């Protein structure tokens, strides 16, 4: 199925399901609250203030007390550069927190979908997109902590699906698309890295894919299908560079009256960062399509939806400010 296909109406009490999501204010958790659900389903997102995943006892308590049918772990430490200076915090959340969630799910007999990242790879693959079984070799503290989290999930929860994704963006939170639109208003020229390749992925598309996976996992007889578990890749269809993504963002914004700053392609060496990024982050998503029948839209299609929404919100805010 395409991830934007509508769910059929199902009103039976037997179809009621609760998905518990660790993470509340992040891009994926926010998108999960906003996405369409099968009839009778509900999503509950819990942030750190309610349940910190570094607290094993608190995690176990909420998994049990919520009565969740499935858990999605979208909570993560994602400050890639800052992690180089505080790796212990990244590991506390991304490895130990993931382990707490996985153990609690296993104890409660609840399946788990865990979100991971392209940063578990070193980006040195040439001529092909990374497959799930390719060797991992993270280059950054963040990537190492997420790889450790994957291993913790595999060790603790037999019924798990790890979903690696890449270059997440959306109308909420901190991400490249929103940063470009902000910087484009403040600077006449921007130098953008043009030798790192990846697949931009809309948080909204991830949310729809996760719900589609949850539906397959929870609906009998698929609930006993072991092929539904393991490691999968999901990202926007197609690939580009950060420069290519920036150019597309401003091209789309220009249709709403936004300006086009001067864009200058630069190399990774011209923009040093504390954390090393993989040069090739492109993921092969064929396994998810084969097992679940899920494919993502072309990345440009989803990007347009996001930029249109952000520009509409900015226009409305400007009108409100003028009227005040």
């Amino acid at each position: 199925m395409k991830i934007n296909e509508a769910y059929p109406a199902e009103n039976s009490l037997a179809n009621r399901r609760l998905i518990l999501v660790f993470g509340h204010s992040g891009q994926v958790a926010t998108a999960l609250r906003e996405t369409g659900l099968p009839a009778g389903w509900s999503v509950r997102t819990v942030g750190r203030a309610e349940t910190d995943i570094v607290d094993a006892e608190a995690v176990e308590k909420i998994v049990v007390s919520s009565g969740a049918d499935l858990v999605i772990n979208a909570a993560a430490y994602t400050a890639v550069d800052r992690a180089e200076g505080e790796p212990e915090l990244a590991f506390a959340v991304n490895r130990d927190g993931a382990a707490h969630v996985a153990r609690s799910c296993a104890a409660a007999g609840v399946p788990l979908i865990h979100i991971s990242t392209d940063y578990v790879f070193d980006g040195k693959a040439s001529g092909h997109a990374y497959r799930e079984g390719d060797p991992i070799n993270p280059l950054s503290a963040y990537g190492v902590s997420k790889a450790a989290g994957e291993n913790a999930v595999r060790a603790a929860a037999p019924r798990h699906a790890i979903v690696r994704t890449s270059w997440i963006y959306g109308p909420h939170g901190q991400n490249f698309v929103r940063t470009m639109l902000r910087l484009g208003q403040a600077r006449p020229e921007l130098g953008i890295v043009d030798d790192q390749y990846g697949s931009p992925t809309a948080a909204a598309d991830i949310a729809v894919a996760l719900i589609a996976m949850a539906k397959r996992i929870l609906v009998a007889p698929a609930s006993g299908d072991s092929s539904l578990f393991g490691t999968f890749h999901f990202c926007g269809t197609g690939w580009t560079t950060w420069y290519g993504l920036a150019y597309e963002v401003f091209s789309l914004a220009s249709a709403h009256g936004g300006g086009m700053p001067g864009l200058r392609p630069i190399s990774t060496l011209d923009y040093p960062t504390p954390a090393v990024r993989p040069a090739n982050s492109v993921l092969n998503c064929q396994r998810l399509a084969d097992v679940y029948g899920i494919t993502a839209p072309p990345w440009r299609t989803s990007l347009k939806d996001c930029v249109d929404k952000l520009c509409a919100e900015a226009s409305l805010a400007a009108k409100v400010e003028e009227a005040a």
Side-chain angles (χ1 to χ4, degrees), residues 53-55 59 73 91-102 114:
I53 65 170
V54 303
D55 184 337
V59 170
N73 183 26
F91 275 86
V93 177
N94 295 341
R95 179 194 61 194
D96 303 339
H100 299 155
V101 173
H114 174 76

Side-chain angles (χ1 to χ4, degrees), residues 1-153:
M1 67 177 284
K2 301 291 186 181
I3 64 170
N4 59 353
E5 289 181 359
Y7 292 105
E10 299 170 339
N11 297 314
S12 168
L13 291 176
N15 291 316
R16 290 187 176 178
R17 297 287 189 273
L18 170 64
I19 298 178
L20 177 67
V21 180
F22 286 101
H24 179 77
S25 60
Q27 296 184 83
V28 173
T30 300
L32 281 164
R33 289 196 303 275
E34 297 176 347
T35 197
L37 299 172
W41 285 45
S42 60
V43 165
R44 176 184 175 185
T45 59
V46 292
R48 186 169 54 189
E50 182 177 357
T51 301
D52 192 336
I53 65 170
V54 303
D55 184 337
E57 185 176 343
V59 170
E60 181 180 8
K61 181 178 179 180
I62 198 166
V63 168
V64 173
S65 64
S66 68
D69 297 286
L70 181 141
V71 170
I72 296 175
N73 183 26
Y77 177 106
T78 58
V80 176
D81 287 324
R82 197 163 69 231
E84 296 300 307
E86 50 184 28
E88 68 288 343
L89 183 55
F91 275 86
V93 177
N94 295 341
R95 179 194 61 194
D96 303 339
H100 299 155
V101 173
R103 290 181 191 130
S104 296
C105 287
V110 176
L112 167 65
I113 300 177
H114 174 76
I115 310 301
S116 192
T117 175
D118 54 322
Y119 278 50
V120 300
F121 296 112
D122 61 17
K124 297 177 182 178
S126 178
H128 77 277
Y130 279 103
R131 301 175 181 86
E132 290 83 354
D134 285 341
I136 64 172
N137 184 34
L139 303 175
S140 63
Y142 165 73
V144 173
S145 71
K146 289 296 289 183
E150 287 188 4
N151 288 333
V153 168

